[in-house]
Amino acid sequence: MPRTAAANDALRIATREKLLEAAQRCFSRHGFAGTSVRTIAAEAGVAIGLVYAHFDSKDTLLLTVFAQGMLQVQDTFAAALQPVPQNAPTDSPIAVLVRAAVGTVRDHLEFWQLTYALRHQPEVLSVLGPRLGAWQSEIVETLAQIVAADRAAAPIATSTSDDRATALALFAHIDGVCQHYAADPEHYPIDAVTDALLRQWKAGGHTT
């Protein structure tokens, strides 16, 4: 009996996810330059032609992996930019963001360990090209919105600062904490460091 259109769609989605997971394992094991499409097909247990049926090239697989990371980043932004009911006790936007970002890396640790390692490989930077700069600009622009929302939520009005510069500093702090945790999750005191980071931002004039 032939499969229904819905069954075919589900199979395509499952196969695509299987190939992405195989590519991530191969990139982690062999590096991007040391991985071939044939290696990915063998890891996934499929014919090489099936890889090309879903992805144009190994470069496309890599870009898709990094695009998944951006979707996770955007989810943390959405949490921080949720409208807060008036007079409701809640964490500030920056506190929500930091905790969401750390939680994302903790929940998807192997994925972030891979992407942190990949983005230092010259061949990967060559493939990402201007997309990497575009993604980073998008992150900084959204962080500037979160910084502005955090400042607006302060009990005592604060003067407008350079929100973009503050966003760049916040980006560096979050990225640094997450990278250090990903490098040694067993020994890195992520909860204590997160609390210390938020105290530091509060002392700098932002609510937490």
Side-chain angles (χ1 to χ4, degrees):
M1 181 177 179
R3 286 192 297 265
T4 64
N8 283 330
D9 287 343
L11 180 61
R12 278 193 292 271
I13 292 170
T15 301
R16 179 181 171 85
E17 186 61 30
K18 181 180 181 180
L19 292 171
L20 278 170
E21 290 174 355
Q24 289 175 50
R25 290 194 298 271
C26 290
F27 293 157
S28 179
R29 196 177 302 141
H30 309 295
F32 177 72
T35 297
S36 67
V37 174
R38 188 174 299 278
T39 304
I40 294 169
E43 177 71 21
V46 302
I48 192 169
L50 188 59
V51 180
Y52 286 114
H54 288 267
F55 300 96
D56 294 338
S57 64
K58 184 176 72 167
D59 290 3
T60 304
L61 274 160
L62 178 73
L63 290 168
T64 304
V65 169
F66 274 84
Q68 286 183 326
M70 271 301 295
L71 288 175
Q72 292 182 24
V73 170
Q74 288 165 354
D75 284 344
T76 68
F77 290 160
L81 289 170
Q82 281 285 341
V84 177
Q86 193 171 10
N87 299 324
T90 184
D91 281 337
S92 72
I94 285 179
V96 172
L97 170 70
V98 171
R99 296 194 189 282
V102 168
T104 293
V105 173
R106 177 180 270 160
D107 292 343
H108 305 277
L109 182 58
E110 289 186 4
F111 175 86
W112 286 98
Q113 287 172 327
L114 170 64
T115 57
Y116 285 139
L118 284 175
R119 71 186 193 186
H120 295 294
Q121 297 176 17
E123 300 85 0
V124 170
L125 295 176
S126 177
V127 172
L128 295 180
R131 287 181 180 85
L132 184 59
W135 284 332
Q136 289 176 337
S137 294
E138 179 184 337
I139 288 171
V140 172
E141 287 174 11
T142 309
L143 286 175
Q145 296 175 35
I146 293 169
V147 167
D150 191 271
R151 177 165 38 75
I156 301 175
T158 57
S159 60
T160 302
S161 60
D162 185 340
D163 288 343
R164 187 175 186 280
T166 306
L168 286 166
L170 181 60
F171 187 10
H173 284 168
I174 295 173
D175 199 42
V177 167
C178 290
Q179 284 197 63
H180 280 98
Y181 170 67
D184 188 13
E186 186 176 348
H187 300 103
Y188 192 77
I190 186 62
D191 292 325
V193 172
T194 299
D195 289 343
L197 177 62
L198 291 177
R199 285 195 300 271
Q200 190 174 45
W201 275 85
K202 183 176 182 179
H206 293 271
T207 60
T208 58

